[in-house]
Amino acid sequence: MCVVSVSAQNYNYALDEKPVPDPQHSEVDSGPVRIIPLAFDWQNIPEDYSDSVWEIRYDFDLAGQTVILPENVTIRFNGGVLANGTVRGDESVIETKTEDQIFDALDLEGSFTTDYLKPQWFGAAMDGASDDREEFVETLAQAERISAKVLVDRDMFLDLEETGKKSIFLEDNTWIEGANDANIIINNLLSPAFYMALTKNITIKNVTFLYDQKYDATFGWNEITHRQNTIVLTNYLKSNHGLEFESSTALTKSPIAWRSTFYLDAPENVKFENVKFVSKGETADTFIQWAIKLKEEYNPNQKIYNNKGVTRIPKNILLKNVTMDGVIMGVQGVVDKFRSVGLISKRYSDIQDVSGNNVGGSGVGGQYWMHPPHLIYLNGDNSDKYNSRDINIINTIDYGDYVGSNKIRGSHGYCHSLKLVGYINDVNVINYKNYRRDGLWDLENIKNGLFTDIYSESYSDIFDKSYKFNAARFLGKLTHCKFTNITIKDKANTSEIYPWDFTSGDFVTMDNVNIYVQELVVEEDGPFAIFGSNNKIINSSFHIGKHSSKNEHLGVIALDEHTRDNGANNYYDISVYGWRKLVNHVAGNCIKLTYHSQSNPNNNYAKITDVRNNFISEKVNAERKDVWVQTETVSLKNGVEQLIEIKIPNNFTAVRINVKTLGALVTKANVSVVARSSDGDVELSRVSNEIGDVSKSLDLMPFKLNQSIFLKSDIDFKNTGKIYLELDLRRNIKS
């Protein structure tokens, strides 16, 4: 384990553990201790004061002077304050025995080996109630000057609610770290709490951002607030990154994104580690509206005229063990190299007031001012040049604890957990668990994607019947994508839409994709279909608790016309559990297989196994073969004929029969199995009079009419005997 010594407050900080006390410095390791007197001449420091500890017991006003410390000085504060000046270190150390203020209007320069600075050293109250914004900004500035980190080890409140005026800009190499489960309490409403604008190498670690604010669900933005924020960002870019704007401003995207906690304006190398975004409130109108915004911006050091210039997007963004609890929009925007490992989402919602009205922010003219929110939403963000790429999302749990009204937006809005849309290259989503009622994901135009070890439970019945959203939606073409070990469950009592959507693409593999519904009442085909070529679905299944759809000729595989006519090298092998029982009109009630046209010259293969009915449909190019094995156990009654449930539908032929006598028949009875239609009887097999079995291959032409099956005897059955029948049927179809 790597341990970083924090001599500034006599602690050792293990990077993955809470701080533990460190032994006090002594003269052996820090040199002699010198108590600095009130009359000390800071401009004429004795030569022998290097390599020693300076103990500050009194308040010193440096009157604007710059103090140049000798080498290897430890400044140990014991009740005193240095104020109104500059201290230039030379391998110097800051140490304090108290939590009191030790600097007042003091700048640090030069080299310090101190790892951390603390806001309370610059006057922050750190009581979770007093506004510590100015002191925190000062701490950040001084830490930047001496390449130190900022340590927040007690609750701290930052008043950031004034539009366009109080946002905090984080500079290169900023490191903010928490300890002792400290909260940074924020209240930003219409402007970002923190900007990372064209900066790099920023780390936020081991801290909770506790949101303490309430929004108005009927107000999203107006031109005044949008312009205020735009001006602030534009002026910062001019002052700090060499941008000149003529008839232009900084790039702007959604005006709602100004509400984010972190506004990542094209930074590079940003890490959030063990960070929590938590709403202090319990109702949806107190939730964080937007946690992290990822946005395109102009490159530094150029002149922008009429909004034309070279741009860049956020790059190399890492979320490690981040928690979002009470967040509406999680992470959204455009990014190059995004990695999320161990993300957890707890409470979520959509915009609304405390009573659950104005869902989505629909209070003004019926329009929604808030985008449909998601835990992760990566796209091109309306960029003319960029799309998100190189995305790795690993070990995610979205617990889906929805807070607020059960109302939804109708045709505009659903809060699927993951949304990757636009044109996205190189995606890995590994071990993603979703319990969000709205659904798992929206995927569009993904190239080179791996989606593996995915589990989702959601409820399709939250949506109006007129607006149906699949739990796993595919909105565009997939290319070279693989989906493995995936379970999708619709927990609704009845499913009017399949939880897994059709898609289009080439070189797509779905392996061990398993879909579950409780009661199926759909009216259309689904859920497995990839429109394209070189696609494979294997080891996959569809599980139906109760099949209640009254529509005939439903398919589990149903490809579009273009794929049926032109698709090549497609291979499907799918099992279906719980399909409706095949009794009457078998041709309409069995699983339709719309896969390959007669005119298609290419090779394709599909197989559907209807487990409940022991019915297998196999299609090799345009040739379909159905194999149906029917079984029945019959206890004989009185009479010389007995109708059984097994039937032979028209166009089927019987190819094999196996008859087992489980209980001996009436002595000397001659019993046979016959198929009967208006054309007469056809004997299929004799039945053994004693316990035993008869197995026989049949060579019959397909029946033109439905055939009922009878057991027929030359004497009365007399309620004696028990027979098991197994009948193998075949049907060949060209389509």
Side-chain angles (χ1 to χ4, degrees):
M1 181 182 297
C2 176
V3 176
V4 178
S5 176
V6 188
S7 56
Q9 70 265 344
N10 300 328
Y11 280 140
N12 276 348
Y13 276 90
L15 293 184
D16 298 318
E17 298 179 357
K18 293 182 179 180
V20 294
D22 185 29
Q24 296 292 321
H25 288 273
S26 66
E27 295 185 14
V28 174
D29 55 28
S30 300
V33 176
R34 304 180 185 279
I35 300 173
I36 304 302
L38 276 171
F40 188 71
D41 186 352
W42 293 93
Q43 295 301 305
N44 294 288
I45 299 171
E47 293 183 2
D48 60 350
Y49 266 45
S50 61
D51 301 307
S52 61
V53 176
W54 296 13
E55 186 164 311
I56 309 299
R57 296 184 178 182
Y58 311 106
D59 295 345
F60 293 94
D61 184 349
L62 301 181
Q65 301 175 86
T66 296
V67 175
I68 301 175
L69 298 177
E71 292 182 352
N72 302 320
V73 168
T74 295
I75 304 179
R76 179 180 295 169
F77 289 86
N78 188 9
V81 175
L82 291 180
N84 190 23
T86 300
V87 174
R88 182 177 300 160
D90 187 354
E91 297 299 305
S92 306
V93 176
I94 301 169
E95 181 183 318
T96 179
K97 296 182 177 180
T98 73
E99 291 295 307
D100 297 329
Q101 182 175 1
I102 58 176
F103 301 123
D104 184 5
L106 187 94
D107 288 335
L108 299 174
E109 292 182 352
S111 62
F112 285 80
T113 61
T114 300
D115 292 305
Y116 294 86
L117 301 181
K118 299 169 71 172
Q120 53 265 48
W121 296 353
F122 298 88
M126 306 298 287
D127 58 10
S130 303
D131 179 15
D132 289 333
R133 179 191 173 279
E134 290 188 9
E135 291 78 10
F136 185 62
V137 170
E138 176 67 12
T139 309
L140 290 169
Q142 298 307 322
E144 180 190 2
R145 295 168 71 97
I146 64 168
S147 301
K149 304 169 184 176
V150 173
L151 182 70
V152 179
D153 59 1
R154 290 190 290 172
D155 285 359
M156 177 177 62
F157 171 57
L158 306 179
D159 184 358
L160 305 170
E161 63 82 26
E162 190 172 355
T163 303
K165 294 185 178 180
K166 292 190 175 181
S167 300
I168 297 174
F169 286 84
L170 303 181
E171 302 302 332
D172 290 354
N173 306 309
T174 295
W175 183 300
I176 301 172
E177 184 170 342
N180 305 327
D181 298 321
N183 298 304
I184 296 179
I185 304 167
I186 57 176
N187 65 346
N188 66 298
L189 186 60
L190 301 177
S191 298
F194 301 95
Y195 281 97
M196 301 179 193
L198 301 182
T199 47
K200 61 181 181 293
N201 304 328
I202 296 178
T203 298
I204 314 293
K205 185 174 182 180
N206 299 341
V207 69
T208 296
F209 292 93
L210 184 63
Y211 188 71
D212 188 9
Q213 183 59 278
K214 182 178 180 180
Y215 61 82
D216 179 359
T218 66
F219 176 77
W221 66 281
N222 58 31
E223 192 57 40
I224 295 174
T225 60
H226 185 48
R227 181 156 182 78
Q228 285 175 324
N229 286 300
T230 303
I231 290 172
V232 168
L233 179 57
T234 300
N235 288 338
Y236 170 83
L237 296 176
K238 289 165 61 175
S239 300
N240 294 271
H241 293 287
L243 278 159
E244 298 180 39
F245 293 93
E246 290 192 14
S247 303
S248 303
T249 63
L251 283 177
T252 60
K253 298 295 181 180
S254 165
I256 310 307
W258 298 122
R259 297 172 176 241
S260 57
T261 304
F262 282 91
Y263 195 93
L264 274 61
D265 198 43
E268 294 185 5
N269 304 329
V270 176
K271 179 167 70 173
F272 295 88
E273 182 176 359
N274 299 326
V275 172
K276 296 180 180 179
F277 297 84
V278 180
S279 168
K280 184 177 181 180
E282 298 181 356
T283 54
D285 63 324
T286 64
F287 279 13
I288 297 170
Q289 293 154 83
W290 203 310
I292 299 175
K293 170 65 182 176
L294 302 164
K295 176 185 159 288
E296 180 182 14
E297 189 52 86
Y298 295 113
N299 274 352
N301 302 313
Q302 61 175 316
K303 187 174 184 177
I304 310 301
Y305 183 73
N306 284 340
N307 298 318
K308 301 295 183 182
V310 180
T311 64
R312 74 186 200 195
I313 60 175
K315 184 174 182 179
N316 196 20
I317 310 300
L318 170 63
L319 277 60
K320 183 177 181 182
N321 299 329
V322 169
T323 297
M324 296 192 180
D325 183 5
V327 175
I328 295 175
M329 182 75 83
V331 182
Q332 188 279 327
V334 61
V335 63
D336 179 3
K337 296 183 181 177
F338 174 85
R339 183 175 175 85
S340 170
V341 181
L343 176 64
I344 292 175
S345 175
K346 296 181 179 178
R347 296 173 298 159
Y348 80 103
S349 190
D350 199 350
I351 291 289
Q352 58 193 271
D353 65 23
V354 68
S355 300
N357 299 314
N358 306 114
V359 172
S362 57
V364 182
Q367 301 299 310
Y368 300 100
W369 58 258
M370 179 64 177
H371 309 282
H374 310 274
L375 175 58
I376 299 177
Y377 178 6
L378 303 178
N379 60 355
D381 209 30
N382 296 319
S383 172
D384 295 331
K385 180 178 180 181
Y386 297 102
N387 277 286
S388 293
R389 63 175 300 276
D390 199 355
I391 310 301
N392 288 275
I393 300 170
I394 302 168
N395 298 341
T396 306
I397 303 178
D398 189 340
Y399 285 105
D401 184 4
Y402 182 81
V403 174
S405 169
N406 288 327
K407 300 174 186 176
I408 61 162
R409 301 185 185 205
S411 62
H412 178 82
Y414 38 88
C415 305
H416 283 35
S417 182
L418 175 64
K419 190 178 183 82
L420 302 175
V421 296
Y423 292 88
I424 302 183
N425 291 350
D426 305 317
V427 176
N428 292 298
V429 179
I430 301 171
N431 191 22
Y432 197 111
K433 293 180 174 61
N434 169 68
Y435 302 92
R436 187 173 286 216
R437 61 168 197 162
D438 306 77
L440 171 62
W441 65 35
D442 297 332
L443 303 182
E444 179 185 45
N445 300 329
I446 308 292
K447 186 175 182 180
N448 299 328
L450 172 64
F451 302 82
T452 186
D453 300 324
I454 311 292
Y455 181 88
S456 175
E457 295 180 1
S458 58
Y459 290 81
S460 64
D461 57 359
I462 68 170
F463 300 111
D464 187 279
K465 294 181 180 179
S466 303
Y467 307 109
K468 301 176 182 178
F469 299 105
N470 310 91
R473 297 207 311 161
F474 297 98
L475 306 175
K477 186 175 181 179
L478 306 176
T479 307
H480 291 285
C481 289
K482 188 171 184 179
F483 299 82
T484 66
N485 303 329
I486 295 176
T487 298
I488 306 292
K489 294 183 178 180
D490 184 3
K491 303 290 285 184
N493 291 328
T494 58
S495 297
E496 298 185 8
I497 187 171
Y498 298 101
W500 186 266
D501 195 9
F502 291 171
T503 188
S504 63
D506 298 312
F507 299 98
V508 177
T509 298
M510 296 181 183
D511 185 355
N512 195 28
V513 175
N514 305 292
I515 302 164
Y516 293 79
V517 298
Q518 298 199 80
E519 182 175 1
L520 187 69
V521 294
V522 299
E523 299 178 354
E524 56 278 317
D525 299 323
F528 289 105
I530 308 170
F531 305 153
S533 294
N534 301 294
N535 299 314
K536 181 185 293 185
I537 303 178
I538 57 175
N539 304 316
S540 296
S541 61
F542 181 33
H543 299 254
I544 306 166
K546 181 180 179 182
H547 194 309
S548 300
S549 176
K550 300 186 182 302
N551 275 29
E552 294 185 344
H553 304 291
L554 285 176
V556 172
I557 301 172
L559 301 183
D560 66 325
E561 183 177 359
H562 184 268
T563 303
R564 296 198 305 270
D565 292 344
N566 302 281
N569 303 318
N570 293 316
Y571 185 101
Y572 287 20
D573 188 349
I574 298 164
S575 297
V576 179
Y577 298 82
W579 194 261
R580 55 194 168 195
K581 190 174 181 181
L582 301 181
V583 179
N584 298 315
H585 189 32
V586 171
N589 287 323
C590 71
I591 300 173
K592 181 178 68 173
L593 186 51
T594 308
Y595 193 69
H596 183 108
S597 300
Q598 290 189 42
S599 61
N600 188 342
N602 302 310
N603 292 321
N604 296 288
Y605 174 86
K607 179 182 177 182
I608 293 285
T609 301
D610 177 351
V611 176
R612 177 184 183 183
N613 291 296
N614 227 349
F615 193 108
I616 298 174
S617 297
E618 187 176 38
K619 194 163 189 178
V620 180
N621 300 330
E623 300 284 342
R624 170 171 171 166
K625 179 174 70 175
D626 292 337
V627 178
W628 187 14
V629 180
Q630 295 191 68
T631 62
E632 186 176 349
T633 300
V634 181
S635 294
L636 297 175
K637 300 178 182 178
N638 290 321
V640 295
E641 286 188 350
Q642 187 164 331
L643 176 68
I644 66 175
E645 291 185 3
I646 290 176
K647 298 183 187 301
I648 305 177
N650 65 311
N651 294 324
F652 279 85
T653 183
V655 298
R656 189 185 69 86
I657 188 169
N658 183 37
V659 184
K660 293 183 179 181
T661 303
L662 304 177
L665 310 184
V666 173
T667 304
K668 297 183 179 180
N670 295 307
V671 179
S672 60
V673 182
V674 299
R676 177 177 297 171
S677 71
S678 57
D679 289 340
D681 290 356
V682 176
E683 183 178 284
L684 302 179
S685 177
R686 303 285 292 180
V687 179
S688 173
N689 191 270
E690 303 295 332
I691 294 175
D693 65 281
V694 177
S695 186
K696 178 182 177 182
S697 295
L698 303 172
D699 185 18
L700 304 173
M701 295 296 292
F703 290 100
K704 299 298 183 184
L705 301 172
N706 291 333
Q707 305 286 314
S708 297
I709 306 298
F710 286 83
L711 294 172
K712 187 175 180 179
S713 176
D714 59 349
I715 62 174
D716 196 302
F717 292 128
K718 294 184 178 180
N719 288 313
T720 302
K722 190 173 184 179
I723 297 172
Y724 169 80
L725 292 95
E726 184 175 281
L727 185 62
D728 289 11
L729 306 177
R730 298 286 190 277
R731 176 175 67 171
N732 294 318
I733 306 172
K734 282 191 175 182
S735 59

